[in-house]
Amino acid sequence: MNRKGVHKTRRPRNQYNTTMASSDPNKLLSKADKLTRLSLTRWSADWKTATVLYEQAANGFRVSKNIEKAKTAYEKASQGQQMLSSPWDAAKHMESAAALAKELSNWREVADFYQKASELFMECGRPQPASDALAKGARALEDTMPEEAIQLYTDAITILEDDEKEQMSFDLYRAVTSVYIKLEKYTDAASSLLRLGLAADKCNATNSQTKAYLGAIIVYLYAHDFKQAEQCYNDCTQIDAFLKSDHSRCAGKFLSAYTDGDVDEIKKIAQSSAVSHLDHAIIRLARKLPTGDVSSLKAVTAEDDEEPLDENDLT
Amino acid sequence: MSVIDILFRVDEVCKKYDKYDIDKQREQNAYGDDAFARVYAVVDSTIQQALIKSEAAAKESNRAVAAAWNAEVRRAKGRLMDEVPKLRKLANKKAKGLTKEDIAIRQDLVLALPERIQAIPDGITSAASHTGGWAATSAHPHIKFDSPEGPVDSDYFSHSEESSQFRNEYEMRKLKQDEGLDIISEGLDTLKNLALDMNEELDRQVPLMDEIDSKVDRANSEVRNTNLRLKKTITEMRSSRNFCIDITLMCVLLGIIMWLYNALK
């Protein structure tokens, strides 16, 4: 069938070509390098063939588990695709390079590659894979470079919110919160939860919203910042959806238990079902409540209550 | 003629000749002048009805019906107690044809009324015996949950042994029910949370499904186009292959002719 003048179907570029000389990927790599290096005999680089050769070399290296070389090959292939102005393929190669860099534990490169890949995806006009790439990078860096991870997560969230796909950003917010909690930056964690609540509000996801607000209040209580927690609670009760929900009742019970200084009550509330369905990091915090001395809080709040009464008496 | 028709006819006839019924007229006019007697007769008949109803309620096995009837008896008793002061006033009024003794008798009757009214049994005695039976203990005929107002004896509220035992059982059963309900409520809480999470997840996936839908539609139409083109190309090819077959056969024919020519030469 192929013989008689039928146009040969184009083989997809990424397919591993076994009919070509399955020679040593090193040879392919050097050949491709030669094609791209400009010299006296070569006035313009032949990126098309070079890219094909780079891809083959990269696949060959990956199969033979030569991760370092595979990574370099993928980088060069991505560069070639960029030259051929197909950002999608370029971005895909960048992602593969980044995954290999992760295996090598080359964290700086991981961050750079994923960011580059995300930019290329945005060039294609596809924000979803862009934020996915950043999220993958952030997840890889969570343990080793948490600040960088937070930065990547925030960028990913911004991309999604610009595209009005807040629903997808919930997972990212939760990841950011857990990283902050691990770093013990509780105010930042609470603020990210509040932003989650805002995003949930925009897409009418009331359950996520109320869970986010309850989580924020618990984080404030865990940081032993009672005033902040109360203020947060007051702010959140302005929102109808939160006010009518189970979670706001639970938060109110928490705050009143704190003002009463009743440790058993706090422990009981932490076992309730409203808390048990939150994010597991927050459940862990809630179980560890109360931190610090609750009775001191009781004394403080009692004093505060008496003073306004005195003022009223004078006036 | 059917039975119903007969009944209707009988009613009509009776109604027509009611004015000749001496007994009935006497009844209706008997207390026409005497307000006291009229009201007293009404009260009396109400008491009789209440007594009958309470007896029936005591005998009734269906607890709901018994409770309803007891409630009606209690309502009737309340109404009767309201009538008593009216009767007292009427008893002291002087009416024509009444002697002093008659008035005294009337006053006694009115005084006796409250006791008679209170005496009508309206407690949930039968229900108590029922629940006693359910708890596998003997009947408790003296337990009343709604104590009527009135004179309270000194040992009116003393617990008999049976009643305190019954009360304890009742409390225990209530506690067990509460525990069971707590467990059920926890389960329902979990279900609710799961359902809400599922709801949100599905909401999240709806726009993704829409995207998939449009992309698949596009891919579908592209594949259809490709198929059409392929079909066209194939038919072209086949016809060209037919052409090849023609040529080949012609060559064969020529070959045969050449061979014949050589053979005949």
Side-chain angles (χ1 to χ4, degrees):
Chain A
M1 251 225 282
N2 278 343
R3 280 173 289 145
K4 287 285 167 186
V6 173
H7 179 59
K8 209 178 203 178
T9 51
R10 249 178 1 123
R11 243 175 283 124
R13 286 180 182 202
N14 294 347
Q15 205 176 12
Y16 186 59
N17 192 354
T18 45
T19 58
M20 280 273 282
S22 49
S23 47
D24 187 22
N26 279 311
K27 267 200 235 152
L28 291 170
L29 191 60
S30 51
K31 205 163 149 196
D33 279 334
K34 258 189 277 172
L35 283 172
T36 55
R37 214 173 303 132
L38 294 171
S39 58
L40 283 171
T41 50
R42 189 176 287 282
W43 291 96
S44 65
D46 183 13
W47 279 111
K48 212 149 137 199
T49 28
T51 316
V52 174
L53 291 171
Y54 276 132
E55 282 166 19
Q56 288 166 15
N59 284 327
F61 280 130
R62 194 158 36 123
V63 166
S64 55
K65 302 279 192 237
N66 194 338
I67 300 181
E68 181 70 51
K69 287 251 163 95
K71 183 170 64 80
T72 5
Y74 270 123
E75 266 181 79
K76 303 227 178 95
S78 158
Q79 202 184 5
Q81 294 287 10
Q82 268 182 293
M83 296 297 176
L84 296 174
S85 41
S86 59
W88 177 263
D89 293 319
K92 278 264 174 246
H93 288 318
M94 260 298 148
E95 267 194 330
S96 331
L100 293 169
K102 187 172 79 160
E103 278 178 51
L104 285 176
S105 311
N106 198 336
W107 304 118
R108 190 69 251 162
E109 283 204 339
V110 167
D112 287 335
F113 287 167
Y114 272 122
Q115 263 174 331
K116 196 108 191 293
S118 147
E119 279 164 39
L120 289 164
F121 278 126
M122 286 302 279
E123 245 184 75
C124 297
R126 307 279 288 275
Q128 184 95 338
S131 87
D132 279 343
L134 287 175
K136 267 190 253 177
R139 210 168 300 136
L141 293 174
E142 253 179 18
D143 296 320
T144 45
M145 287 167 54
E147 275 90 16
E148 192 65 39
I150 290 173
Q151 185 58 39
L152 290 175
Y153 272 130
T154 347
D155 291 335
I157 292 171
T158 335
I159 292 178
L160 283 175
E161 291 194 335
D162 286 336
D163 196 40
E164 298 193 10
K165 290 228 165 42
E166 283 92 5
Q167 291 269 16
M168 306 295 149
S169 60
F170 292 167
D171 290 328
L172 296 172
Y173 274 121
R174 275 187 222 124
V176 174
T177 314
S178 64
V179 174
Y180 272 133
I181 289 178
K182 258 190 264 179
L183 292 175
E184 302 200 353
K185 290 204 183 126
Y186 296 117
T187 33
D188 291 324
S191 61
S192 73
L193 279 169
L194 291 171
R195 278 169 65 197
L196 209 187
L198 181 62
D201 190 46
K202 248 187 270 172
C203 27
N204 291 327
T206 38
N207 197 31
S208 288
Q209 193 185 9
T210 52
K211 286 207 282 199
Y213 290 146
L214 180 59
I217 293 174
I218 290 180
V219 167
Y220 278 134
L221 285 176
Y222 189 76
H224 213 58
D225 196 351
F226 185 69
K227 287 264 166 350
Q228 262 296 16
E230 233 179 346
Q231 203 180 356
C232 184
Y233 178 68
N234 289 336
D235 289 333
C236 297
T237 44
Q238 304 293 329
I239 300 167
D240 252 351
F242 183 68
L243 189 59
K244 281 188 265 184
S245 74
D246 275 343
H247 299 108
S248 77
R249 244 180 290 137
C250 183
K253 272 194 263 178
F254 259 124
L255 289 171
S256 56
Y258 255 85
T259 45
D260 291 335
D262 192 351
V263 181
D264 293 324
E265 183 69 27
I266 294 173
K267 293 234 180 300
K268 202 173 66 142
I269 299 173
Q271 304 291 332
S272 74
S273 70
V275 171
S276 321
H277 284 89
L278 299 174
D279 204 20
H280 58 269
I282 302 177
I283 298 177
R284 250 181 276 141
L285 291 186
R287 302 262 195 262
K288 288 199 212 139
L289 281 178
T291 52
D293 198 12
V294 184
S295 46
S296 67
L297 269 173
K298 187 165 73 165
V300 167
T301 47
E303 281 169 25
D304 280 346
D305 284 338
E306 284 171 11
E307 283 176 13
L309 283 174
D310 287 337
E311 286 176 18
N312 287 339
D313 284 341
L314 289 172
T315 52
Chain B
M1 241 212 290
S2 63
V3 176
I4 296 212
D5 289 337
I6 295 176
L7 280 170
F8 275 138
R9 278 191 142 207
V10 165
D11 277 333
E12 286 287 312
V13 168
C14 285
K15 254 190 267 176
K16 221 170 152 194
Y17 292 109
D18 250 346
K19 53 182 185 226
Y20 298 118
D21 191 348
I22 307 173
D23 290 324
K24 210 172 186 181
Q25 296 295 1
R26 210 187 298 150
E27 221 179 284
Q28 281 183 342
N29 291 334
Y31 306 119
D33 300 333
D34 201 347
F36 172 80
R38 208 183 331 123
V39 176
Y40 186 76
V42 167
V43 167
D44 212 11
S45 62
T46 321
I47 292 179
Q48 294 302 327
Q49 281 172 3
L51 275 167
I52 295 171
K53 214 177 257 181
S54 68
E55 272 169 46
K59 288 201 213 92
E60 178 65 35
S61 57
N62 185 346
R63 269 192 290 161
V65 175
W69 281 349
N70 281 323
E72 279 183 41
V73 166
R74 262 177 261 131
R75 242 180 285 139
K77 273 164 72 168
R79 262 182 272 131
L80 288 170
M81 294 305 285
D82 289 332
E83 296 279 314
V84 165
K86 223 199 297 177
L87 270 174
R88 231 174 266 141
K89 259 191 275 165
L90 284 173
N92 293 332
K93 227 177 15 174
K94 281 224 176 101
K96 55 179 174 182
L98 273 181
T99 58
K100 276 223 182 85
E101 288 132 11
D102 274 336
I103 294 178
I105 294 172
R106 282 187 178 182
Q107 285 175 346
D108 284 333
L109 282 171
V110 172
L111 281 171
L113 259 184
E115 288 168 29
R116 278 177 66 195
I117 294 174
Q118 298 303 344
I120 304 176
D122 68 347
I124 321 181
T125 49
S126 52
S129 67
H130 239 279
T131 47
W134 165 53
T137 54
S138 57
H140 308 285
H142 299 299
I143 295 178
K144 285 192 185 157
F145 284 105
D146 297 310
S147 50
E149 317 90 15
V152 175
D153 297 340
S154 58
D155 54 2
Y156 194 78
F157 284 124
S158 67
H159 283 279
S160 65
E161 187 193 301
E162 294 160 337
S163 76
S164 54
Q165 194 185 7
F166 177 70
R167 190 146 203 108
N168 285 339
E169 287 227 35
Y170 162 74
E171 297 283 336
M172 259 179 36
R173 292 208 173 249
K174 206 157 87 138
L175 279 168
K176 281 222 189 78
Q177 269 191 359
D178 284 340
E179 273 172 48
L181 286 172
D182 278 335
I183 296 177
I184 291 176
S185 98
E186 263 175 62
L188 283 175
D189 262 337
T190 318
L191 276 176
K192 182 183 97 155
N193 274 306
L194 284 174
L196 284 170
D197 283 339
M198 271 169 49
N199 191 14
E200 281 199 0
E201 191 60 39
L202 286 171
D203 282 336
R204 212 194 318 179
Q205 305 212 339
V206 163
L208 295 177
M209 295 296 289
D210 290 334
E211 261 189 62
I212 292 177
D213 200 19
S214 60
K215 284 196 186 151
V216 165
D217 279 337
R218 239 182 292 154
N220 198 12
S221 59
E222 268 175 42
V223 164
R224 232 180 271 151
N225 282 344
T226 318
N227 276 344
L228 276 172
R229 266 189 285 145
L230 201 59
K231 226 183 268 180
K232 240 190 283 171
T233 329
I234 286 178
T235 46
E236 217 178 291
M237 259 217 34
R238 208 194 292 133
S239 43
S240 58
R241 202 200 279 159
N242 286 340
F243 189 68
C244 298
I245 292 174
D246 293 343
I247 290 177
T248 328
L249 286 176
M250 264 218 257
C251 295
V252 165
L253 201 62
L254 276 171
I256 293 173
I257 291 169
M258 286 273 293
W259 181 78
L260 279 172
Y261 183 82
N262 286 337
L264 288 172
K265 207 175 186 225

